[in-house]
């Protein structure tokens, strides 16, 4: 693959583009466009931004991803969690008026885009692997609860504020007597309808004789039907005079192209938030992309995905949008609708652009309660508290991390929650690897296999101790190995040889090498020889560049069986269970 094609995946898939792919992509684009219009408006309001910014964030970013992205089905744009994080980040700034707030959100998208692009160019996609999936699942679940709760004010037609669950609920209760009944009727009806659409509309249409594909397309258009119906009701009965809050004037036309703010104060204030949004957005996006790619035996390139998402966010910033990422719901819809290439996203961008040009005047009387219902129905599908019993049964350490992430997100807000999630993920990694599993092993009778003496009936010899290290050795666990080994051999007179079985050791860093040198010296003083077995090639190459092998009191054996044969005295071995 040429260097240019590596950074421009469009040059690869466009060579194979044909009429069949064009037809599939156009059909998928129509379906996703129908779904994306109400979602874009709703998520912009969730971020505290003018509704049209949701449309702007759904045009040029899709084109950028079609050029630089590697997933054939991923659909980028505004998503609920990133919108909530945008609101939290920009809300922390002391800004005056909508224009300054919007400018900060645009700058946030640009900073995030630069971060993601630089990470992709330097091939830093592996950093996302340090975020544990249970912690991310806990964060998304808590965020879903926060988002749904924050939208209840639009369902009730009241003013309520707060960045955490306690503040939101307290504010809602305080304003409950101010509930607007007309707004409540629209909001609850739209919510109930959208919940029914998700599960019941497609079967109902098929029972009337419609084909599955057509029924599916019409079911995906359910939110558009809710938007159209409630807009007509609000217009026909002039509900805005009755206190029903409507979207109002949405500027008609394509997004304005301009550079974002380069204010040092804004950039320094938004830097950490942009980093958190970049990390969460990338993890969510790449997880969806990998899942969908696997279904068609395709593959994505994580480092190039960073560039794809980065350029998408830069495109959002220069076209009046705010941070975007790959959305789970719309990507699945795009995949199910038959999207064959990223061109489906570009066609969707054209559809959104036409909507921005032609349809925005029709949105004037759209009730905000309907958009709130769209958000609530969408985000509740993200809420999955089953992660708590799953992690409790499987790993108490993971459970504590997930529970802490959920509690901190709900209790202290989304930025504290995601920061805690990142730190807990790293902390879990360090904790687990700092205490590696070390097993004393023996020979399974009649074989050349070695297993844990506490789990199997094996043959050992009192003069030989074989320890299998089930982790790479590095600075965080080097001292643990020293202490473990000394505790095992001290005051055990028959021991003459210690063998470290390194079949699971992929890396030995400098700190671990110094620990091995110290172990070798201490054992020598005790009259015990240190041996290694089953050392992997790359690890052996590095050891040979040091003096360790020259000073080693024992030998390095190709296999543990060879070590056992060479070191066992010519007496019958003792059995151990």
């Amino acid at each position: 693959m040429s260097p240019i094609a590596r950074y421009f995946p469009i040059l690869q898939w466009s060579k194979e583009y044909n009429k069949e792919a064009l037809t599939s992509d156009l059909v998928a684009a129509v379906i996703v466009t129908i779904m994306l219009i109400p979602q874009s408006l709703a998520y912009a309001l969730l971020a505290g931004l003018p509704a049209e910014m949701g449309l702007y964030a759904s045009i040029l970013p899709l084109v950028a991803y079609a050029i630089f992205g590697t997933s054939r089905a991923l659909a980028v744009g505004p998503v609920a969690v990133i919108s909530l994080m945008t609101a939290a980040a920009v809300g922390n700034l002391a800004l005056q008026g909508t224009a300054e707030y919007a400018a900060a959100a645009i700058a946030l998208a640009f900073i995030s885009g630069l971060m993601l692009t630089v990470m992709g160019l330097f091939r830093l996609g592996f950093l996302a692997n340090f975020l544990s999936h249970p912690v991310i699942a806990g964060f998304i679940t808590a965020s879903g609860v926060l988002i749904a709760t924050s939208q209840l004010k639009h369902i009730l037609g009241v003013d309520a504020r707060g960045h955490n669950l306690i503040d939101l609920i307290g504010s809602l209760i305080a304003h409950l007597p101010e509930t607007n009944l007309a707004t409540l009727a629209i909001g609850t009806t739209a919510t109930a309808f959208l919940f029914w659409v998700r599960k019941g509309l497609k079967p109902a249409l098929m029972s009337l004789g419609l084909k599955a594909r057509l029924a599916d397309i019409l079911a995906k258009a359910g939110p558009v039907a809710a938007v159209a119906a409630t807009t007509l009701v609000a217009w026909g009965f002039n509900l805005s005079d009755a206190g029903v809050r409507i979207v109002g004037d949405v500027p008609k036309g394509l997004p304005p192209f301009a550079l974002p703010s380069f204010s040092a104060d804004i950039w320094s204030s938004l830097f950490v938030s942009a980093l958190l949004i970049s990390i969460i957005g990338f993890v969510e996006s790449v997880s969806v992309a990998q899942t969908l790619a696997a279904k068609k035996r395709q593959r994505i390139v994580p480092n190039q995905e960073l560039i794809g998402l980065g350029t998408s966010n830069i495109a959002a910033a220069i076209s009046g949008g705010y941070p975007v990422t790959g959305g789970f719901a719309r990507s699945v819809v795009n995949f199910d609708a038959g999207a064959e290439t990223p061109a489906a996203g570009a066609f969707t961008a054209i559809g959104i652009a036409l909507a921005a040009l032609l349809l925005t005047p029709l949105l004037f009387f759209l009730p905000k309660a309907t958009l709130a219902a769209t958000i609530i129905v969408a985000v509740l599908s993200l809420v999955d508290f089953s992660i708590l019993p799953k992690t409790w049964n499987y790993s108490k350490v993971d459970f504590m991390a997930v529970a802490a992430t959920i509690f901190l997100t709900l209790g202290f807000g989304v930025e504290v929650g995601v920061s805690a999630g990142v730190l807990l993920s790293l902390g879990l990694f360090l904790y687990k690897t700092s205490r590696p599993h070390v097993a004393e092993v023996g020979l399974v009778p009649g074989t050349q296999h070695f297993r844990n003496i506490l789990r199997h009936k094996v043959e050992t010899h009192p003069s030989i101790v074989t320890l299998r290290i089930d982790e790479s050795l590095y600075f965080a666990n080097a001292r643990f190995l020293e202490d473990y080994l000394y505790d095992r051999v001290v005051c055990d007179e028959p021991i003459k040889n210690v063998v470290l079985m390194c079949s699971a050791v992929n890396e030995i860093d400098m700190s671990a090498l110094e620990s091995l040198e110290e172990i070798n010296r201490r054992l020598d003083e005790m009259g015990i020889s240190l041996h290694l077995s089953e050392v992997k090639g790359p690890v052996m190459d590095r050891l040979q560049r040091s003096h360790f092998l020259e000073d080693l009191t024992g030998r390095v054996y190709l296999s543990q069986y060879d070590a056992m044969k060479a070191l066992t005295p010519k007496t019958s071995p003792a059995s151990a269970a």
Side-chain angles (χ1 to χ4, degrees):
M1 183 189 303
S2 69
I4 295 179
R6 180 190 307 163
Y7 293 109
F8 292 87
I10 189 175
L11 297 178
Q12 300 174 47
W13 59 260
S14 61
K15 294 177 182 178
E16 306 167 0
Y17 206 65
N18 52 40
K19 289 183 178 180
E20 288 77 11
L22 174 62
T23 301
S24 297
D25 287 344
L26 285 172
V27 172
V30 170
I31 296 173
V32 175
T33 299
I34 292 170
M35 176 185 185
L36 194 53
I37 291 172
Q39 272 195 358
S40 299
L41 298 169
Y43 291 151
L45 294 179
L46 172 61
L49 297 165
E52 64 271 13
M53 287 187 68
L55 295 176
Y56 297 162
S58 304
I59 300 176
L60 206 55
L62 287 164
V63 178
Y65 186 82
I67 297 171
F68 296 100
T70 61
S71 171
R72 301 293 181 99
L74 191 71
V76 300
V79 300
V81 173
I82 300 302
S83 297
L84 180 65
M85 294 179 71
T86 298
V90 180
N92 290 334
L93 306 179
L95 300 175
Q96 301 295 325
T98 303
E100 287 191 17
Y101 189 97
I106 291 171
L108 184 64
F110 192 77
I111 300 168
S112 177
L114 285 180
M115 287 180 175
L116 289 164
T117 303
V118 170
M119 289 173 67
L121 291 173
F122 284 93
R123 309 182 71 78
L124 299 179
F126 70 91
L127 293 175
N129 297 334
F130 288 101
L131 281 173
S132 81
H133 284 278
V135 166
I136 292 298
F139 168 71
I140 290 176
T141 289
S143 297
V145 173
L146 271 182
I147 292 168
T149 306
S150 71
Q151 295 307 294
L152 290 178
K153 64 182 180 182
H154 296 301
I155 300 294
L156 298 172
V158 300
D159 289 315
R161 300 184 182 278
H163 291 297
N164 59 63
L165 189 62
I166 297 172
D167 290 346
L168 282 169
I169 292 176
S171 183
L172 285 169
I173 292 173
H175 290 87
L176 200 58
E178 304 166 14
T179 299
N180 183 282
L181 295 180
T183 300
L184 181 62
I186 290 176
T188 53
T189 302
T191 303
F193 173 74
L194 290 174
F195 270 120
W196 174 76
V197 162
R198 285 205 157 211
K199 299 291 184 182
L201 183 56
K202 183 178 177 180
L205 292 173
M206 290 179 65
S207 67
L208 296 175
L210 272 68
K211 292 184 178 180
R213 188 169 180 79
L214 179 58
D216 189 55
I217 293 173
L218 292 175
K220 296 295 189 299
V224 176
V227 166
T230 54
T231 301
L232 285 172
V233 169
W235 170 72
F237 292 94
N238 202 21
L239 293 181
S240 59
D241 290 344
V244 174
R245 298 175 185 181
I246 58 177
V247 170
D249 186 43
V250 178
K252 180 180 178 181
L254 294 175
F257 293 94
L259 289 175
S261 169
F262 289 96
S263 166
D265 290 339
I266 290 179
W267 278 54
S268 60
S269 300
L270 293 177
F271 185 85
V272 174
S273 297
L275 179 61
L276 295 175
I277 285 174
S278 299
I279 293 171
I280 295 299
F282 174 64
V283 170
E284 179 180 354
S285 179
V286 81
S287 299
V288 175
Q290 287 175 334
T291 300
L292 297 179
K295 292 183 178 182
K296 287 192 174 182
R297 298 191 177 185
Q298 298 168 349
R299 62 183 297 270
I300 66 164
V301 182
N303 288 311
Q304 184 60 33
E305 282 298 291
L306 282 168
I307 296 175
L309 287 177
T311 53
S312 296
N313 276 280
I314 293 173
I318 64 175
S319 59
Y322 69 100
V324 298
T325 192
F328 176 77
R330 75 174 66 101
S331 296
V332 171
V333 170
N334 196 38
F335 179 87
D336 291 341
E340 291 290 337
T341 71
F347 296 143
T348 300
I350 295 173
I352 299 295
L354 291 174
L357 280 170
L358 305 174
L359 301 181
T360 51
L362 303 177
L363 300 173
F364 185 91
F365 288 98
L366 172 60
K368 289 186 177 181
T370 304
L371 295 179
T374 302
I375 293 175
I376 291 172
V377 173
V379 300
L380 287 183
S381 65
L382 303 175
V383 175
D384 180 16
F385 283 106
S386 67
I387 190 68
L388 290 172
K390 286 178 184 176
T391 51
W392 174 263
N393 292 329
Y394 189 77
S395 169
K396 300 298 187 290
V397 174
D398 282 332
F399 169 81
M400 291 173 62
V402 172
T405 302
I406 292 176
F407 171 77
L408 290 171
T409 302
L410 294 177
F412 297 94
V414 65
E415 288 205 339
V416 172
V418 70
S419 300
V422 172
L423 294 176
L424 284 169
S425 294
L426 293 174
L428 279 175
F429 170 77
L430 290 174
Y431 175 78
K432 291 175 181 177
T433 57
S434 68
R435 301 176 59 83
H437 180 259
V438 178
E440 185 169 346
V441 298
L443 179 65
V444 178
T447 74
Q448 295 184 13
H449 300 295
F450 288 77
R451 294 292 184 269
N452 192 329
I453 64 172
L454 301 177
R455 294 176 178 269
H456 301 271
K457 186 175 182 180
V458 294
E459 296 175 350
T460 63
H461 195 280
S463 68
I464 303 172
V465 171
T466 296
L467 299 178
R468 189 189 70 223
I469 309 163
D470 295 334
E471 184 66 66
S472 291
L473 297 176
Y474 74 118
F475 65 90
N477 60 26
R479 177 66 66 180
F480 176 85
L481 178 63
E482 283 190 56
D483 295 341
Y484 186 97
L485 197 150
Y486 296 151
D487 288 343
R488 173 62 185 86
V489 302
V490 71
C491 300
D492 197 341
E493 294 296 338
I495 297 177
K496 298 299 180 184
N497 295 284
V498 169
V499 185
L500 296 182
M501 186 175 173
C502 302
S503 54
V505 177
N506 297 316
E507 175 78 17
I508 297 177
D509 76 355
M510 193 64 194
S511 297
L513 176 63
E514 292 175 354
S515 287
L516 289 176
E517 291 172 341
E518 180 64 15
I519 289 171
N520 184 57
R521 186 186 65 79
R522 291 275 297 273
L523 290 181
D524 188 33
E525 293 174 352
M526 299 167 66
I528 300 173
S529 297
L530 176 66
H531 310 267
L532 305 180
S533 73
E534 302 189 13
V535 181
K536 293 184 176 180
V539 177
M540 193 66 179
D541 292 341
R542 183 167 290 184
L543 291 177
Q544 288 173 337
R545 294 199 293 270
S546 71
H547 295 288
F548 175 69
L549 296 180
E550 298 173 10
D551 300 332
L552 187 65
T553 54
R555 291 180 53 193
V556 179
Y557 291 94
L558 183 63
S559 71
Q560 180 58 34
Y561 185 73
D562 291 342
M564 193 72 173
K565 284 199 305 180
L567 299 175
T568 302
K570 304 303 179 183
T571 57
S572 60
S575 293

